[in-house]
Amino acid sequence: EDKVVQSPLSLVVHEGDTVTLNCSYEVTNFRSLLWYKQEKKAPTFLFMLTSSGIEKKSGRLSSILDKKELSSILNITATQTGDSAIYLCAVEGGETSGSRLTFGEGTQLTVNP
Amino acid sequence: GAGVSQSPRYKVAKRGQDVALRCDPISGHVSLFWYQQALGQGPEFLTYFQNEAQLDKSGLPSDRFFAERPEGSVSTLKIQRTQQEDSAVYLCASSPGANVLTFGAGSRLTVL
């Protein structure tokens, strides 16, 4: 059974801090790993990492995929209160075709002013 | 529309009632997914459509859950004889066929 584990489950920081969120996975036929940000509504896409694109960066956010260790990290530098959200890691894989994603529990990030 | 639209946003049902949740995907998106997200958990896969074909329904928790997408666009998730454990947010997502899903805001179901 495919499995995604995120840590920590929750994190409280002050504005300006740098945070690192972790994601490890066990999945058959790995195809990609995705990070989503979920505020009080729909998860919104952040990054997709595959064998051919193991590092992505967008502004203060960056992510790296370590295929050897079956893990990924999401870094956020100079955090802002607007970064407060649940960060979801998901992995695409499995026996069937299509884009079935297996999600972790998420990391609840709270950034205090 | 510009995004994935779900309705109703909130639904309160008495145990034993049937409910129907609707999803309007982004126009032209071939793939449509339903996920169930319990409080404090990540979304869990329920079912997947490619156009009108339901290619994977292995995540549906019981035969009380049924999903359809008869014309390959709008989809309905139906839950019969609701139970308290069905209380969750039901997320619909669509994609043009690639991996990146665009999610709707979800339908929050509370079963009393």
Side-chain angles (χ1 to χ4, degrees):
Chain A
E1 184 180 327
D2 298 344
K3 189 175 177 183
V4 177
V5 177
Q6 292 186 243
S7 64
L9 293 181
S10 66
L11 188 57
V12 180
V13 300
H14 292 290
E15 266 192 318
D17 288 350
T18 293
V19 298
T20 298
L21 311 183
N22 301 285
C23 175
S24 63
Y25 61 89
E26 295 174 25
V27 63
T28 54
N29 299 325
F30 172 87
R31 290 193 278 278
S32 63
L33 183 145
L34 298 92
W35 285 96
Y36 281 84
K37 177 182 181 182
Q38 185 174 30
E39 296 169 273
K40 290 187 178 179
K41 40 187 179 178
T44 53
F45 171 76
L46 294 175
F47 297 117
M48 182 176 74
L49 302 154
T50 67
S51 301
S52 58
I54 61 171
E55 186 168 356
K56 293 286 177 73
K57 183 175 171 62
S58 175
R60 297 179 294 104
L61 278 66
S62 62
S63 183
I64 297 173
L65 174 67
D66 186 336
K67 282 205 71 181
K68 184 177 176 185
E69 296 296 326
L70 304 183
S71 65
S72 174
I73 59 170
L74 176 69
N75 278 322
I76 308 175
T77 59
T79 51
Q80 302 171 356
T81 55
D83 296 327
S84 296
I86 297 171
Y87 290 84
L88 294 166
C89 173
V91 174
E92 183 198 9
E95 301 295 337
T96 58
S97 62
S99 302
R100 173 176 179 160
L101 298 179
T102 300
F103 283 85
E105 286 185 65
T107 293
Q108 171 78 63
L109 173 66
T110 302
V111 181
N112 290 323
Chain B
V4 178
S5 177
Q6 292 189 244
S7 61
R9 289 292 315 276
Y10 303 93
K11 175 70 179 177
V12 178
K14 291 183 180 177
R15 191 173 56 176
Q17 273 186 323
D18 297 349
V19 300
L21 309 176
R22 176 187 168 104
C23 173
D24 269 284
I26 292 174
S27 179
H29 277 195
V30 167
S31 301
L32 185 146
F33 300 79
W34 284 98
Y35 284 81
Q36 180 191 58
Q37 187 173 23
L39 190 63
Q41 301 293 317
E44 291 199 5
F45 171 82
L46 293 177
T47 187
Y48 157 61
F49 290 86
Q50 188 169 354
N51 295 307
E52 69 278 3
Q54 189 173 20
L55 297 187
D56 188 347
K57 55 181 181 178
S58 61
L60 295 176
S62 77
D63 59 7
R64 296 185 296 103
F65 286 71
F66 172 76
E68 60 183 5
R69 194 186 185 198
E71 296 178 0
S73 58
V74 171
S75 177
T76 304
L77 176 67
K78 297 178 179 177
I79 310 172
Q80 297 177 321
R81 303 181 305 280
T82 51
Q83 305 292 317
Q84 283 189 318
E85 63 262 28
D86 301 334
S87 296
V89 175
Y90 290 86
L91 294 166
C92 176
S94 69
S95 81
N99 339 49
V100 178
L101 305 185
T102 301
F103 283 87
S107 291
R108 181 179 295 277
L109 172 65
T110 302
V111 182
L112 302 177

